[in-house]
Amino acid sequence: MKILVVDVGGTNLKILATGQAEPRRTPSGPKMDAAQMVQAVRALAEGWDYDAVSIGYPGPVRHGAPVGEPPNLAPGWVGFDFAKAFGKPVKLINDAAMQALGSYDKGKMLFLGLGTGLGNTLIVDGVVVPMELGHLPYRDATFEDYVGEAALKRDGKRKWRKRVEDVVARLQAALLPDEVVLGGGNVRLLKTLPPGSRAGDNANAFAGGFRLWPTAAKKAAAKKAPVRRTAKGSKA
């Protein structure tokens, strides 16, 4: 079975299919709705063979369908029939959950995505537990308000890094994960990683998309694993 993985972002739309070495991408943005996304994916994937589609969706998902519109894209996602639009079987999952699944090794893992907001997912013995921890109260606002993109621009890197370390420590104490994986585009801005954590990679979203389909996951597992960084920032 060949899988097309679609990683929908607020800035870019990225795709990768079984057997392909390099992802393809195109801009997304606030004018892109679900129908335009499908059209863009079809154009990007021209010449690629695939039997099913995995979609990483930048918004809340329940029972494999969006339950809220994405904040950085146009409306029109909730209630959209993705399988009909693609003419293929589709599995849709929150984008942070998809990257978490691709980063997972074993045990209980907490994934935190440092990007526009604070993506988060818990995986326990292989079971994905989507969460919305970023909206929990923290100081005079929420976790997301202190470690998201807006906080980074408002407070600067030094304060942002301290807040990230504090937030990670609080969530570790509450959820007792075996490890924390820090993903998202802003993880690269951390000089050192909080204790008990390792850096993920945005490319792991594709591995997660393949893992949604067990037969495709076996082929994806043969690919080289991403380099890890330890809590001190060195390569493992």
Side-chain angles (χ1 to χ4, degrees):
M1 178 183 252
K2 295 184 178 181
I3 308 303
L4 176 67
V5 182
V6 181
D7 186 10
V8 183
T11 304
N12 289 296
L13 175 71
K14 294 170 284 186
I15 68 169
L16 184 68
T18 303
Q20 301 300 322
E22 294 294 331
R24 295 175 180 175
R25 69 173 63 203
T26 191
S28 53
K31 295 183 179 181
M32 178 175 280
D33 60 18
Q36 290 171 331
M37 180 276 289
V38 172
Q39 185 178 10
V41 168
R42 284 182 173 278
L44 267 184
E46 185 177 358
W48 286 1
D49 241 353
Y50 55 96
D51 306 301
V53 181
S54 293
I55 300 175
Y57 175 73
V61 174
R62 185 178 293 121
H63 304 307
V67 293
E69 300 290 351
N72 299 311
L73 300 171
W77 300 77
V78 176
F80 186 83
D81 192 334
F82 294 92
K84 182 178 180 180
F86 277 107
K88 309 275 186 181
V90 171
K91 291 187 179 183
L92 185 143
I93 189 172
N94 172 264
D95 58 346
M98 192 164 80
Q99 188 175 152
L101 185 59
S103 306
Y104 179 73
D105 283 334
K106 60 183 178 180
K108 183 194 289 188
M109 184 198 81
L110 174 63
F111 175 85
L112 298 174
L114 301 173
T116 304
L118 179 65
N120 47 90
T121 299
L122 190 68
I123 301 184
V124 183
D125 296 331
V127 178
V128 178
V129 184
M131 309 181 85
E132 290 294 337
L133 298 173
H135 300 155
L136 291 177
Y138 177 68
R139 298 196 175 205
D140 59 349
T142 67
F143 286 125
E144 193 165 84
D145 291 321
Y146 278 92
V147 298
E149 184 76 29
L152 176 61
K153 293 178 179 178
R154 180 188 68 232
D155 301 328
K157 292 180 184 178
R158 186 175 179 181
K159 283 187 177 180
W160 177 82
R161 287 169 179 149
K162 288 183 177 180
R163 301 263 170 73
V164 168
E165 186 170 349
D166 184 49
V167 167
V168 169
R170 288 171 184 263
L171 293 177
Q172 282 175 314
L175 298 172
L176 300 176
D178 297 316
E179 68 171 348
V180 176
V181 173
L182 299 177
N186 289 332
V187 69
R188 70 187 190 283
L189 301 178
L190 296 174
K191 288 186 175 179
T192 59
L193 297 176
S197 68
R198 63 178 168 93
D201 190 307
N202 286 342
N204 288 342
F206 293 121
F210 292 127
R211 284 182 173 181
L212 289 175
W213 305 86
T215 55
K218 292 179 182 179
K219 295 181 181 179
K223 294 185 178 181
K224 185 178 178 181
V227 174
R228 295 186 182 182
R229 289 165 56 198
T230 66
K232 293 183 178 180
S234 59
K235 292 182 179 179

